[in-house]
Structure formats: C-alpha cells, structure tokens
Amino acid sequence: MAWSGAPGDTVQVRPRPARLLTALLLAPLLACCAHGPPKFDPAARRTCLVLSVGGPRGVAHLGAIAAARKAGVRIDCVVGNSMGSLVGALYASAPSEDTEARFRRFSEAYVAESQADAAKNGVMGALVGAAVGAAVGGKKGAVAGAVLGAGGGFALAAEQTARLDRDRLVRVMNAELGGARIETLPVPYATTYQQRSENGLTLVVARTGNLSEAVGKSIANPFIFTNLDVVKQGEVDPGADRASMTPVDEACRLFPDANLLAINVTGEPAFYRAEMRCPLREVRVDPGPLDAEAVFRLQADFTRAVKAGFDATARAL
C-alpha cells in the first residue's frame, strides 16, 4: 500500500471501501498476530500511545493515561481516532498536566457554552413568539398574546438547542487549548478522518494544522452529533473502517521505531498488517454502557469508565 510524505505533513492515504468489503479484502492481510511484533519494552525504545474510537466509552482513555504515568511509562507520541483523538489531544498538548483534570475543565466549559447557546436561542425564540402572539391576540389581547408567545418561544427554542453539537465542541476546545497547532505540540500527535472523494472515502492523516479542527473531523459521528450533516461537511469519523477503530497500523507507519501501547474500548480486537513490526501491547477495556451526555455530566458513569481504563492498563503494565 502506497505511503508518501514526511513527519509533519498532512497525508492523504488510500481510498477505503465500505466496511464489509474492507473486512473481506483485508482479512488475509490484517491480524491480531500471535507471532508478529517483537516484545513490548518501554526501556528499549520510545512508546507511542494509540487510542481507539468508542464514543463516550473513550473516557476510559483518561484512566489508561493515568495508569501509564503511575507505571512510569513515558508516552512519547500519540495516535488517536474519534474520542481517542480528543483525549489524545488533551494529553499531547500538555503532557505534564493531569489529563483527566483537563478533560473535566473542558467538559465544564462545554456545558457552560451549551447553556449560553440555549439562552441566546431562547431570546430569539421569545422575540418571534411575542410577535406571533401579539398578532394572534389582536388589539385587545395583544399584550397577553405577546407574553404567552414570548414564554412559549423561549422554551421551545432553548429546548431545541442541541445538547451535543460538534461545532460547539470544536469552538470550546479551541478556546481551552489556545488555538494549538498539531506541529507545535510538545508530544508528536496524529489523528485520522474519512473524507469524501471521487473514489468514495479517503483516509486522511492529520499531522499539521489547528488541533481542535482536526479532532472535530475525527469525531464527526452523526449518531452522536445528530444535527451534523456529514454529507455536506464531507468529513466523517473513521470508526466505520475496521482497521481504523484502533489505529495500530497507522501508528506503526508514522512511528516505526516505537512501542505501541494501544488502549482499545471498541469491544473488537485491533486489526493490523501481519508484517507490522512495532512492539505492541493491546489493552482491551470494557467500561460498560455509557451514554454520550454522561461524558459531560462527569458523574458516576464517567468515574466508572475512567476507573475501568486505569485498572485494565495497570494490570497490563
């Protein structure tokens, strides 16, 4: 398979067929190889953290990072997709800080921005509702109609403001990260996303540019962000591609001299080429059921998922 570009480039890689066809075509080439890569040894070479897709389950990556730190494993590079791209970006942009604490601050800022958006939309709805209510009420009932219309318009518009909005998430993340760019991060970082092309979908590896925007493309999942028009946008979460769910193969291509510590919350084993030679330790985490909004509520389900990531990684290391 062709590969071009040097570290620091944003590289478009091979076109990807539909998910089922991908599995059929790649099955002879991809494997969870029992004999494949050499021994995982953080003392012998640098370690690259590979973070899987997984939607809200991906908050388990926060616990995995904490466990790696506690075990003394230095993380020298990060490759993450979808939720793994978001958590990985928080780590790679400030490796000396507590990544879970950063995520909590980001979540709180996102909730505050969501409430502000709902209030703003509510005011606009109230103005429209007041105008309609006044018109319906006529001369005698104009005031009462306007009051009722304003209240109803505010409530309706505020309620219809999407709680989970990808563009809002990117906006908040960019503010929290100070407009950070991938190529200037203290820890080398990469993420991927699928982009529509003449041949269907093309996998794009992002290694330069605005960090939050790259994360936004990788998390573009219309099943989570239900108001997202991926057809119009042209970019989509890479998770439908079996080989990109836990991007072990891409990580080895980008960092061939590294150990790969792969945190996998997908429920499926990682796929990679049989000839992949990077030392690999795959940690499979089952954080249990977790709905998307729980990511931002930071309550019991969130804590449980983070702990699951910590415990599984601590055992593996």
Side-chain angles (χ1 to χ4, degrees), residues 57-301:
R57 294 160 61 93
V59 296
H61 294 321
L62 296 167
I65 291 171
R69 278 189 167 130
K70 187 172 182 179
V73 176
R74 177 176 170 176
I75 300 170
D76 301 292
C77 44
V78 177
V79 178
N81 282 345
S82 193
M83 190 62 174
S85 73
L86 193 159
V87 173
L90 293 175
Y91 172 81
S93 57
S96 62
E97 295 185 29
D98 184 321
T99 308
E100 182 183 344
R102 297 195 82 207
F103 187 92
R104 286 177 175 274
R105 288 197 299 271
F106 161 70
S107 294
E108 290 165 357
Y110 177 83
V111 169
E113 186 73 2
S114 298
Q115 292 170 342
D117 281 355
K120 187 188 307 179
N121 292 338
V123 169
M124 295 300 296
L127 292 174
V128 173
V132 172
V136 171
K139 291 183 178 180
K140 294 183 178 180
V143 174
V147 171
L148 290 174
F154 183 96
L156 181 62
E159 178 62 27
Q160 289 182 342
T161 300
R163 293 185 178 88
L164 295 176
D165 183 277
R166 195 285 307 266
D167 293 343
R168 182 191 305 134
L169 186 147
V170 171
R171 185 170 74 243
V172 172
M173 187 175 191
N174 196 48
E176 290 294 304
L177 299 184
R181 295 184 63 81
I182 296 173
E183 63 270 26
T184 63
L185 296 177
V187 174
Y189 169 91
T191 188
T192 78
Y193 57 91
Q194 301 271 21
Q195 186 169 57
R196 285 195 301 123
S197 67
E198 293 180 357
N199 296 318
L201 291 174
T202 298
L203 188 72
V204 178
V205 181
R207 299 204 64 196
T208 63
N210 182 278
L211 176 60
S212 300
E213 290 178 3
V215 170
K217 293 174 181 179
S218 192
I219 64 172
N221 186 331
F223 295 104
I224 294 176
F225 302 104
T226 55
N227 64 340
L228 184 64
D229 186 346
V230 294
V231 175
K232 180 180 179 181
Q233 172 188 288
E235 296 117 3
V236 66
D237 186 314
D241 183 334
R242 181 69 178 82
S244 295
M245 291 173 70
T246 306
V248 168
D249 211 44
E250 296 297 350
C252 191
R253 290 175 184 276
L254 294 168
F255 305 103
D257 62 333
N259 292 296
L260 304 181
L261 177 59
I263 312 302
N264 181 354
V265 303
T266 69
E268 299 285 345
F271 266 28
Y272 51 89
R273 294 171 301 148
E275 63 268 27
M276 196 275 290
R277 299 304 298 162
C278 292
L280 171 66
R281 181 157 298 172
E282 181 181 2
V283 181
R284 297 181 65 183
V285 183
D286 181 8
L290 192 70
D291 69 81
E293 290 188 37
V295 170
F296 299 103
R297 287 200 299 267
L298 303 175
Q299 295 176 349
D301 285 351

